[in-house]
Amino acid sequence: MLQGLVRIRVRLGSGGMDALAGLLDGPRARGAFLLRMVMEPPWSVRIEDRAPLCLMCVTEGEAWIVPSSGEPVLLRPGDIAIARGPEPYTVADTADRPPNARIGPGGECATLSGEPLAEALHLGLRTWGNALDGGTTVLVGTYLMDGEVGRRLLDALPSLLHLPAELWRCPLMPYLDEEIARDEPGQSVVLDRILDLLLIAAVRAWFARPGAEAPAWYRAMGDPVVGRALRLLQNDPAHPWTVASLAAKTGVSRAALARRFTELVGEPPMTYLTGWRLALAADLLREDDATLESVARRVGYGSAFALSAAFKRVRGLSPRDHRSGD
């Protein structure tokens, strides 16, 4: 199993994928909410969990996703959908079916009047629904935390992304289907990593589809000069980078790099680096054992004071307020 994941990761880790891998490398899924939903019509579930991101894959039958705004999407076997929070949406057997259940924050399930449904709809380990032999099965993977590093990526996605099976071929869904019902040591970590890889593969396929408008930072990864500069910054943010040292590494003049980087990415190299460092810091600050001093060193600031000043200047609040959620 793990060897298979390594091979998949190697295949995914080339070309433009480096941009996605870099952006997702910090806020990986941690104890993500994963389940297999098995349903028999009629059914309709309103999702109001305010999660930043949810992936849904149909393995049997069909399911409609009805966003609060925009057109409903029909999921068939092999399709994948990514719903970007915090806006609510409905998943149902028909596009016009009124909800008869609600999923709230933390995955709590209840009727629309508030009566708990967790026990009534529990069908086994990570399996949930109204009939164990129901005709529709949907694999659901939800990122529960709003990871700061992924904000640039999330902002590039629509509120509801749909990839039909014919637009992508991904070997990860069978892995997820197989592993989601296992109960072995370290299983939650295995599932988290499969979910991460599935997200990366889906987003790459989305940006690569015909007529896609990929964001500037993603397109820039394909440039031989700017792409290399981006990878250097993403892979080693703690290095004392300057435009001159980046230019030397990429084999062009300082002026040429600054001009080309700004044109393709939309901001100068050092502005991008500051944003990247502070995004990493914002995510690291959520970790219980992280001190401001240790975070500062990991992201390239010489002291906690320097990081605090930059954080407040760019983000408008102190690291302490960010950490407490104020």
Side-chain angles (χ1 to χ4, degrees):
M1 168 63 194
L2 292 178
Q3 289 178 344
L5 286 178
V6 170
R7 288 195 295 272
I8 291 168
R9 187 157 200 160
V10 168
R11 289 201 297 272
L12 293 179
S14 59
M17 261 306 302
D18 288 345
L20 300 178
L23 287 166
L24 289 167
D25 199 42
R28 293 180 177 180
R30 302 183 185 97
F33 180 71
L34 289 117
L35 61 79
R36 177 188 286 112
M37 184 171 69
V38 185
M39 305 296 277
E40 184 67 22
W43 62 276
S44 180
V45 181
R46 183 69 170 169
I47 311 299
E48 298 178 352
D49 59 4
R50 301 190 62 81
L53 207 66
C54 179
L55 282 74
M56 289 164 279
C57 317
V58 170
T59 59
E60 293 183 53
E62 296 180 344
W64 284 89
I65 302 177
V66 185
S68 294
S69 59
E71 295 298 316
V73 166
L74 177 61
L75 286 186
R76 296 186 173 93
D79 292 6
I80 188 169
I82 299 176
R84 196 188 71 183
E87 292 300 314
Y89 53 93
T90 299
V91 185
D93 65 315
T94 65
D96 57 356
R97 179 85 61 197
N100 51 25
R102 171 186 173 273
I103 302 293
E108 294 184 1
C109 181
T111 64
L112 298 186
S113 60
E115 298 171 5
L117 285 173
E119 289 189 16
L121 297 178
H122 179 72
L123 299 178
L125 179 65
R126 301 189 192 91
T127 303
W128 179 94
N130 63 8
L132 191 56
D133 58 350
T136 296
T137 300
V138 185
L139 305 182
V140 181
T142 303
Y143 285 78
L144 300 176
M145 295 180 62
D146 191 3
E148 292 286 341
V149 179
R151 180 52 50 190
R152 185 186 295 263
L153 174 61
L154 292 177
D155 288 345
L157 300 179
S159 58
L160 180 60
L161 179 160
H162 173 223
L163 273 173
E166 59 266 22
L167 285 185
W168 80 316
R169 291 290 180 268
C170 181
L172 290 163
M173 282 200 287
Y175 272 124
L176 182 59
D177 195 20
E178 176 186 339
E179 292 291 327
I180 206 166
R182 291 191 182 218
D183 188 16
E184 298 181 4
Q187 191 64 18
S188 64
V189 176
V190 171
L191 290 171
D192 285 350
R193 297 293 76 79
I194 298 174
L195 181 61
D196 288 335
L197 289 168
L198 186 59
L199 172 61
I200 295 171
V203 172
R204 181 179 68 169
W206 174 257
F207 287 153
R209 76 195 195 285
E213 294 184 6
W217 55 260
Y218 183 83
R219 298 194 304 270
M221 292 301 297
D223 183 85
V225 173
V226 177
R228 175 165 172 71
L230 282 168
R231 285 187 285 273
L232 287 168
L233 296 178
Q234 290 174 1
N235 293 339
D236 192 5
H239 185 81
W241 292 110
T242 63
V243 176
S245 62
L246 267 181
K249 290 282 190 180
T250 56
V252 297
S253 70
R254 184 170 57 180
L257 175 64
R259 180 176 62 253
R260 194 161 173 173
F261 194 104
T262 303
E263 288 175 355
L264 293 182
V265 179
E267 58 188 352
M270 295 300 101
T271 303
Y272 177 90
L273 177 59
T274 296
W276 177 241
R277 284 172 168 170
L278 295 180
L280 286 169
D283 193 59
L284 291 170
L285 286 166
R286 300 288 194 189
E287 297 181 359
D288 294 337
D289 59 347
T291 66
L292 190 57
E293 192 71 38
S294 67
V295 171
R297 290 195 302 271
R298 289 177 66 178
V299 301
Y301 286 90
S303 66
F305 177 80
L307 173 59
S308 295
F311 205 97
K312 183 71 179 290
R313 183 181 71 252
V314 174
R315 290 179 166 252
L317 76 169
S318 70
R320 184 188 300 275
D321 288 341
H322 166 78
R323 171 176 263 165
S324 64
D326 294 343

